[in-house]
Amino acid sequence: MSTVKQDTRLRDILGTSALRPDGVAKVMGSFSFSSDMWAENMLWGATLRSPHPYARIISIDTTAALLISGVSAVITAQDVPGKATYGLISADQPVFASEFVRYMGEPVAAVAADHPETCRRALAAIIVNYEVLTPVVDPELAMLATTEQIHPDGNLIRHQRIICGDPHISGNITVEGNYTIGMQDQAFLGLEAAMAFPDSGGNGVELHIATQWLHEDRGQIAACLKLPEDNVRLVLGGVGGAFGAREDISLQVHCCLLALRTGRPIKMQYSREESFFGHVHRHPAKIWMKHHATKEGKIVKVESRMVFDGGAYTSTSPAVLINGITHTQGPYQCDNAVVDGYAVRTNNPPCGAMRGFGVVQACFAHESQMDKLAQACGLSPVDVRLINAMHTGDKLITGQVMESVAPVERCIRETDAIPMPETLAPNANVLEFPGGSGRTADRHNIVRGIGWGVSMKNLMYSEGFDDYATARCTLSNGIASLKFATSEVGQGFVTLAPQIARSVLGVDDVVLETSDTQIGSAGSTSASRQTWMSGGAVDGACRLVRERLFEHVGKLHNIDPIRLMIEHTDVIDTIGTFRISVAEATQGITLSETFEHHHRKTEDLDANGQGNCHVAFAFVAHRAVVDVDVELGLVKVVQIATAQDVGRVLNPLSAIGQIEGGIAQGLGLAVMEEIIMDNGRVKNPSFTDYLLPTALDAPHVVAIMIEEAEPQAPLGAKGIGEPPCISVTPAIIAAIRAATGKALSRVPVRPQDICL
Amino acid sequence: MTVAVPLSLNEAFDALSRTPDARLIQGGTDLMVEINFNHVKPVDVIALRRIKELRTWQVNSNNTITIGSGVPYQEMEVGQLKELLPALAEAARTVGSPQIRAAGTLGGNLGTCSPAGDGLPVLFALDAIVHLQSAVTSRELSIHEFMLGVKRNARHANEIITGVTVPILDGWQGYAKVGVRNAMVISVASACLAVDKKNNSVRIALGAVGPTIIRCRDAESWLVQQLDLTTATSIDTTIAQEFGRRVALESKPIDDHRSTAEYRRHAVGVLAQRLITRAYTS
Ligand SMILES: Cc1cc2nc3c(=O)[nH]c(=O)nc-3n(C[C@H](O)[C@H](O)[C@H](O)COP(=O)(O)OP(=O)(O)OC[C@H]3O[C@@H](n4cnc5c(N)ncnc54)[C@H](O)[C@@H]3O)c2cc1C
């Protein structure tokens, strides 16, 4: 764990480690998460799920369930008044399965009852007759035209090529490999939960929900409910983490339907086990990659074939795929490329957004390749990366020019300069050894390895999507209040937004209004985008209000507003002596402005994968030092050194939190986190067997934040949420390879992969 | 659901005779998980936590220790219990998290009788005696007769496990457990080794590699023939390796979502080799 030096901060403006307003409440257990909501006269809702990965539904009999005393409603596909399906990109996922269930855990019915236990009994009393079918679980097979198509839209969700430069060129040196990435879960701690309040008359509903994007949810819910969007109001409930798993609809429509059906407030919440079935996961992927290079190690061409298992429904698979293939080159110059990407439908659980969004998979492959290239050319892992490092102005394999600040070289050099950890001391604490509290290793069983990973990650949404953000600022009597629909999922926007207002407006007191759909969209809290997008919107709204303030003060005191500026908490005349506090200047008046921040336009990719499809990019380097018990295949990640391209640090404490958290999540994918599938069945839907890193697994993190302000970004700051978790995974695996000499082409790496 | 909270064993037996189908709960770290997963729906529960007799331990005159079934793991990790039973202390340290070790007990580990239970290999290596009592009977059962299979034991429904008795041995002892993360993990394979210098013997018991804990009698008796366990101060690498190989042969692991049979067999061999080496290096 790192510590952030806490300078005496007089005012919580941009650049200070302002503390989270909800921090103490969360630590003390008094913060109200969505699952803590309660309402007078409420009922509980619960979902019946398919026990089969693939089956035809022959009949559903709800009679017995309805007879149970305390049960108010049982609903199935027939009870969906509007659109029967939903989805972020393609509406191909049924609210309730009617003809077929296509993955284990797919919702079939929902009940409302007076108690969770009554719900459980009601679910058990629903009789569903299934004709069990053989699931299609191998994406390679699934994409063949000769294989049974498990959905009317077909099994191939998307195929996209990238052809760049000379597809036939080669180099003196070629290296290739096949890589496998397992299915990771976002494993947020605050489980899915919502409360729906029906409007009297049943023409509308208010849903309090833990989500990443209120407006997108609203659109999908309204369509399924067949209500005008205005009649569906969403309010952000307390969110306990997201990492992509709250982008898709889970219980939203079910909860609203039950509320409208019963006319009573409905509370729904998933258990941990249900949560594993209730949200999408990270795409498992198989990647073949081949690099052609000069004998000096300069990349000439990259070739790749990527297959992403999308599971039963589309979710964000097409976008995840595009992220994967457009990051094939990694943060390296590359003039020639041939890449084929496939996102495929199977009877596995649906996969979608998770921190890193397709780039995680590509990065594991390209970084493994860079080490192979280094070896083939007799270069060090650092040198091969420096020789190939991308710079601003370089052309990407999509033809897009890298316009972002691209301090790849600096990330690598500064990471390289971070001191190595001490070697294991003779009196080292055995709990710090690989195997930890299991006391498996003695000192002489341990071999230390060092590995590298460097990544590039796009920021914001791509391919022509205008994911704008809206904010309103109201200034009155020295108090600023901010309104936006931005989801706070733990990333710290509730800390940042007031910092922006304080900096721009010279106020100290900032009130955050409820995040809900009573204002324009903020876009999703994902794609490392909210600091840039909602931060830009809040900044824009505050600046408009500041202009109004200067006009007001100028008029009153006969000063050209252009001469006025904010200094600390005062409005001052830059060429005179006039000074008035913002509090005094805004006594009795109210200034209010709304601002929408749009990023620059992007384009679709053409048939050859060419087009300016991304908005901007961020870079990071990771160096992992890992102790390995070679004989037992157990590991301890000792240190992660990292230098991250952040643009500008707006809150050092928040930034280090993102970096350390991301590293822990990337470590999880490297050595333990995996949803284990067996012919379409999830084998480990609980924290007993889905392992997350503990304090004894977490490494010492030494982080450097590289501040080169990004001209495109409203606050100069790049998104920092995703990069920490991307290249740390290959860095850790490279370190294990260095310690063991094993090829290790799969993550998570398992003890038997290392030692057998 | 009724919950009886007896303050003594006698009160507990009274409760048990009133509600013979009641589930006993000690630390609740197994039972509550089962309840939360809806695997069991007890109508009556008898909570044993307030029974002082079960939460104590004592050294007996015949060089043995009796540990009450309600003593939490955290007490085994420290102090005199750690000094006298170092293998138990190490096993206790590997259990769950601090919260789990504050609540979890040997009584519960025995009650559940999972082959992955971390207390059990120690009890098998030490040839523990399990004390079982009902309102009218009291019996002592060897741990080898107590554990019958995966989550099956010889306890009668009207009995309470009151404690275990284990010998205080002269000789090194230790426990090692392989899991896929460095703390709070269910055992993939584990081993407890205890040297009994007085009887010139070594005992090794394996966890999570068979339907019950496995004592490796063949490997044990092979080792006795290789060196004098009472006087030896070091051990040849080749002997340690061969010991490991023989231990691995006695394991009966399976493939499941936590690991593979092949890895488990390999791991217990490595653990055995390392434990015996530790025993003769310090
Ligand atoms: C997060 C977590 C991590 C865990 N990690 C580990 C681990 O690393 N290693 C490990 O071995 N276990 C682990 N466990 C399981 C559990 O903690 C242990 O098995 C513990 O020993 C159970 O003890 P308890 O007192 O809590 O049992 P309880 O849950 O109270 O009881 C367990 C069973 O034993 C019966 N029982 C309890 N006391 C008696 C008695 N006196 N007489 C007769 N029957 C009785 C109960 O009826 C029940 O069937 C973990 C559990 C959790 C929740």
Side-chain angles (χ1 to χ4, degrees):
Chain A
M1 291 276 285
S2 307
T3 44
V4 168
K5 207 168 109 236
Q6 190 74 40
D7 297 323
T8 15
R9 46 189 175 86
L10 295 172
R11 299 182 58 230
D12 285 335
I13 55 172
L14 287 173
T16 67
S17 284
L19 298 179
R20 295 186 65 92
D22 55 4
V24 171
K26 280 179 172 164
V27 172
M28 303 288 286
S30 58
F31 180 82
S32 172
F33 289 98
S34 293
S35 52
D36 295 319
M37 287 184 289
W38 189 87
E40 205 62 57
N41 197 33
M42 74 175 195
L43 294 169
W44 295 81
T47 319
L48 182 71
R49 294 178 181 277
S50 163
H52 309 295
Y54 190 33
R56 187 193 308 276
I57 297 176
I58 294 168
S59 63
I60 304 176
D61 185 352
T62 61
T63 336
L66 273 166
L67 288 175
I68 294 173
S69 120
V71 173
S72 297
V74 182
I75 56 173
T76 64
Q78 292 174 354
D79 302 291
V80 181
K83 206 165 169 174
T85 54
Y86 60 81
L88 280 164
I89 292 179
S90 157
D92 67 348
Q93 181 156 6
V95 175
F96 293 111
S98 55
E99 245 184 294
F100 290 96
V101 286
R102 297 189 179 86
Y103 70 97
M104 178 183 179
E106 180 163 0
V108 175
V111 301
D114 56 4
H115 191 278
E117 179 57 24
T118 320
C119 288
R120 199 189 61 76
R121 286 179 198 164
L123 294 181
I126 299 174
I127 302 160
V128 187
N129 238 317
Y130 292 105
E131 178 195 343
V132 177
L133 304 168
T134 309
V136 177
V137 294
D138 177 356
E140 287 289 353
L141 281 179
M143 75 167 103
L144 300 177
T146 47
T147 301
E148 180 191 358
Q149 303 295 298
I150 57 170
H151 189 282
D153 295 351
N155 291 354
L156 185 60
I157 295 173
R158 183 171 182 180
H159 167 231
Q160 175 71 50
R161 300 203 86 180
I162 296 177
I163 299 191
C164 165
D166 177 358
H168 304 296
I169 199 167
S170 188
N172 293 331
I173 289 179
T174 58
V175 288
E176 68 178 298
N178 285 293
Y179 305 96
T180 303
I181 294 92
M183 191 190 291
Q184 190 179 19
D185 188 58
Q186 299 85 348
F188 48 53
L189 289 186
L191 296 160
E192 287 89 347
M195 175 97 93
F197 297 89
D199 290 357
S200 56
N203 286 328
V205 64
E206 180 167 302
L207 183 70
H208 295 243
I209 173 83
T211 180
Q212 289 177 239
W213 190 356
L214 292 163
H215 286 75
E216 172 63 32
D217 278 8
R218 179 176 68 166
Q220 294 186 54
I221 297 166
C224 295
L225 299 180
K226 210 175 181 184
L227 287 174
E229 285 200 5
D230 282 350
N231 295 18
V232 179
R233 299 176 308 282
L234 266 68
V235 182
L236 187 68
V239 188
F243 310 110
R246 295 188 211 270
E247 272 203 323
D248 295 73
I249 294 291
S250 57
L251 42 61
Q252 286 88 330
V253 183
H254 303 157
C255 198
C256 292
L257 279 171
L258 289 170
L260 290 168
R261 166 65 73 96
T262 59
R264 289 168 68 174
I266 299 286
K267 172 168 180 163
M268 284 186 93
Q269 73 184 78
Y270 289 172
S271 67
R272 177 60 60 189
E273 184 181 9
E274 187 169 18
S275 177
F276 274 98
F277 296 101
H279 63 247
V280 300
H281 312 294
R282 188 190 295 293
H283 288 75
K286 287 215 189 310
I287 299 177
W288 166 81
M289 206 177 268
K290 182 170 182 179
H291 281 73
H292 304 248
T294 65
K295 56 182 188 307
E296 291 78 32
K298 190 91 182 77
I299 297 169
V300 173
K301 182 175 73 172
V302 62
E303 293 176 272
S304 184
R305 180 174 181 277
M306 303 190 182
V307 178
F308 283 68
D309 184 349
Y313 297 105
T314 299
S315 179
T316 47
S317 285
V320 171
L321 177 74
I322 259 34
N323 259 21
I325 61 170
T326 57
H327 287 73
T328 306
Q329 69 191 109
Y332 308 111
Q333 294 166 340
C334 178
D335 295 331
N336 307 289
V338 182
V339 184
D340 267 297
Y342 302 85
V344 186
R345 192 191 305 276
T346 65
N347 291 118
N348 289 320
C351 288
M354 181 174 174
R355 197 177 197 174
F357 204 79
V359 181
V360 165
Q361 292 89 331
C363 183
F364 175 58
H366 70 63
E367 284 309 273
S368 301
Q369 286 284 104
M370 290 309 279
D371 289 336
K372 283 188 181 169
L373 185 57
Q375 214 164 25
C377 304
L379 290 169
S380 73
V382 170
D383 285 341
V384 78
R385 289 171 169 85
L386 285 175
I387 287 174
N388 289 292
M390 181 183 285
H391 297 97
T392 303
D394 287 345
K395 209 170 195 190
L396 307 179
I397 58 173
T398 52
Q400 176 163 7
V401 173
M402 172 58 64
E403 286 179 22
S404 297
V405 169
V408 180
E409 249 188 81
R410 216 180 136 192
C411 288
I412 298 171
R413 289 189 197 282
E414 297 213 9
T415 302
D416 197 28
I418 293 172
M420 286 284 176
E422 306 269 310
T423 50
L424 265 185
N427 60 347
N429 182 355
V430 291
L431 292 176
E432 299 286 334
F433 290 2
S437 69
R439 302 287 294 269
T440 43
D442 294 306
R443 233 174 137 264
H444 62 269
N445 304 126
I446 300 169
V447 181
R448 182 163 284 188
I450 298 165
W452 278 83
V454 188
S455 67
M456 161 172 97
K457 172 71 184 56
N458 64 315
L459 309 172
M460 278 72 74
Y461 281 27
S462 305
E463 290 192 287
F465 198 87
D466 180 19
D467 50 319
Y468 67 95
T470 318
R472 185 173 67 227
C473 171
T474 307
L475 179 61
S476 183
N477 300 324
I479 298 171
S481 52
L482 300 175
K483 172 88 181 175
F484 41 74
T486 311
S487 280
E488 171 61 40
V489 305
Q491 83 276 24
F493 196 68
V494 291
T495 322
L496 180 67
Q499 286 180 270
I500 296 171
R502 288 186 198 105
S503 289
V504 176
L505 292 172
V507 294
D508 278 331
D509 297 325
V510 183
V511 176
L512 295 184
E513 296 176 40
T514 309
S515 289
D516 57 26
T517 48
Q518 304 299 96
I519 184 171
S521 174
S524 176
T525 298
S526 60
S528 301
R529 62 179 288 288
Q530 287 298 22
T531 293
W532 185 310
M533 297 304 298
S534 283
V538 168
D539 185 56
C542 290
R543 281 172 191 274
L544 288 177
V545 166
R546 188 173 63 185
E547 269 174 46
R548 299 268 313 277
L549 173 64
F550 290 164
E551 282 163 17
H552 171 76
V553 171
K555 202 157 152 196
L556 219 61
H557 300 277
N558 211 13
I559 306 172
D560 184 349
I562 215 155
R563 285 166 48 179
L564 296 174
M565 67 174 269
I566 300 281
E567 188 184 79
H568 303 299
T569 51
D570 295 336
V571 179
I572 61 162
D573 179 356
T574 47
I575 47 175
T577 53
F578 174 80
R579 172 183 291 269
I580 184 172
S581 76
V582 172
E584 205 185 324
T586 56
Q587 273 317 306
I589 62 161
T590 299
L591 307 171
S592 187
E593 292 289 344
T594 301
F595 187 81
E596 260 181 26
H597 183 75
H598 295 257
H599 59 64
R600 68 156 181 209
K601 287 194 167 51
T602 58
E603 309 167 348
D604 281 337
L605 293 178
D606 67 17
N608 286 332
Q610 300 298 298
N612 297 317
C613 70
H614 295 309
V615 179
F617 298 88
F619 303 86
V620 64
H622 290 104
R623 183 192 67 202
V625 175
V626 181
D627 281 346
V628 185
D629 179 337
V630 177
E631 226 179 341
L632 282 177
L634 303 179
V635 298
K636 162 75 184 187
V637 182
V638 177
Q639 184 206 54
I640 298 293
T642 179
Q644 185 171 331
D645 154 41
V646 298
R648 194 177 149 212
V649 181
L650 304 180
N651 183 321
L653 190 61
S654 288
I656 198 71
Q658 287 294 321
I659 289 174
E660 291 190 342
I663 284 171
Q665 207 154 22
L667 180 152
L669 177 61
V671 299
M672 64 180 82
E673 285 188 45
E674 182 174 14
I675 294 185
I676 297 164
M677 299 301 306
D678 178 14
N679 206 22
R681 293 181 174 278
V682 178
K683 301 304 281 182
N684 56 338
S686 88
F687 282 169
T688 306
D689 287 312
Y690 184 87
L691 300 179
L692 296 164
T694 69
L696 274 185
D697 301 285
H700 181 58
V701 172
V702 187
I704 290 171
M705 295 178 216
I706 293 180
E707 293 193 83
E708 293 182 21
E710 170 61 43
Q712 274 194 78
L715 303 164
K718 291 186 175 184
I720 57 165
E722 290 170 288
C725 82
I726 298 172
S727 42
V728 69
T729 307
I732 290 168
I733 300 302
I736 303 174
R737 287 188 195 117
T740 61
K742 292 264 178 167
L744 306 180
S745 58
R746 175 194 198 278
V747 284
V749 65
R750 298 157 298 198
Q752 58 267 32
D753 301 334
I754 296 174
C755 71
L756 292 183
Chain B
M1 189 170 96
T2 71
V3 181
V5 188
L7 300 178
S8 69
L9 263 179
N10 281 339
E11 282 180 33
F13 291 130
D14 284 350
L16 202 49
S17 54
R18 275 196 307 274
T19 53
D21 293 330
R23 285 300 294 264
L24 303 174
I25 187 168
Q26 193 79 252
T29 60
D30 273 325
L31 188 66
M32 290 312 296
V33 175
E34 280 189 74
I35 291 174
N36 285 339
F37 272 111
N38 262 309
H39 295 163
V40 295
K41 291 240 145 242
V43 179
D44 303 296
V45 170
I46 301 173
L48 306 177
R49 279 193 93 160
R50 303 263 174 89
I51 302 177
K52 285 220 180 64
E53 301 136 89
L54 299 182
R55 293 182 73 97
T56 56
W57 57 271
Q58 83 258 349
V59 178
N60 308 315
S61 54
N62 61 350
N63 215 29
T64 59
I65 300 182
T66 301
I67 303 172
S69 59
V71 174
Y73 289 114
Q74 67 178 20
E75 277 187 47
M76 301 170 207
E77 289 178 63
V78 293
Q80 207 189 348
L81 271 181
K82 179 186 176 180
E83 268 163 44
L84 297 175
L85 301 171
L88 186 62
E90 287 185 351
R93 176 61 185 83
T94 77
V95 174
S97 57
Q99 295 91 326
I100 297 297
R101 297 196 292 277
T105 65
L106 281 182
N109 220 224
L110 285 163
T112 300
C113 245
S114 157
D118 284 309
L120 305 181
V122 182
L123 300 182
F124 269 71
L126 298 181
D127 292 325
I129 300 294
V130 181
H131 303 277
L132 293 151
Q133 235 177 290
S134 75
V136 288
T137 64
S138 165
R139 54 180 184 135
E140 294 182 345
L141 216 56
S142 156
I143 183 74
H144 306 292
E145 290 157 43
F146 178 82
M147 185 174 191
L148 300 177
V150 178
K151 301 201 171 173
R152 284 193 305 122
N153 63 40
R155 181 181 83 91
H156 299 148
N158 64 348
E159 286 176 325
I160 291 174
I161 304 164
T162 56
V164 294
T165 298
V166 291
I168 299 171
L169 298 181
D170 176 14
W172 187 92
Q173 54 179 248
Y175 182 75
K177 151 175 153 185
V178 173
V180 184
R181 72 178 163 198
N182 289 333
M184 227 198 31
V185 66
I186 294 187
S187 173
V188 157
S190 72
C192 177
L193 184 136
V195 177
D196 181 357
K197 283 190 181 174
K198 211 171 114 213
N199 292 308
N200 188 38
S201 74
V202 71
R203 296 107 166 266
I204 181 153
L206 309 179
V209 288
T212 66
I213 306 302
I214 293 171
R215 263 293 282 277
C216 306
R217 308 274 180 192
D218 292 347
E220 290 175 11
S221 50
W222 175 83
L223 192 66
V224 180
Q225 290 155 24
Q226 310 307 311
L227 76 164
D228 185 334
L229 294 161
T230 313
T231 56
T233 52
S234 68
I235 188 163
D236 280 358
T237 315
T238 47
I239 294 183
Q241 260 170 3
E242 178 59 16
F243 178 64
R245 198 186 67 82
R246 285 169 181 263
V247 164
L249 284 179
E250 287 182 70
S251 67
K252 299 188 191 71
I254 55 161
D255 286 329
D256 65 14
H257 60 276
R258 290 190 189 128
S259 191
T260 63
E262 192 191 1
Y263 175 76
R264 287 182 160 118
R265 188 184 300 282
H266 166 79
V268 288
V270 173
L271 293 183
Q273 183 193 337
R274 288 185 184 176
L275 289 172
I276 196 67
T277 309
R278 278 180 207 171
Y280 287 99
T281 32
S282 33

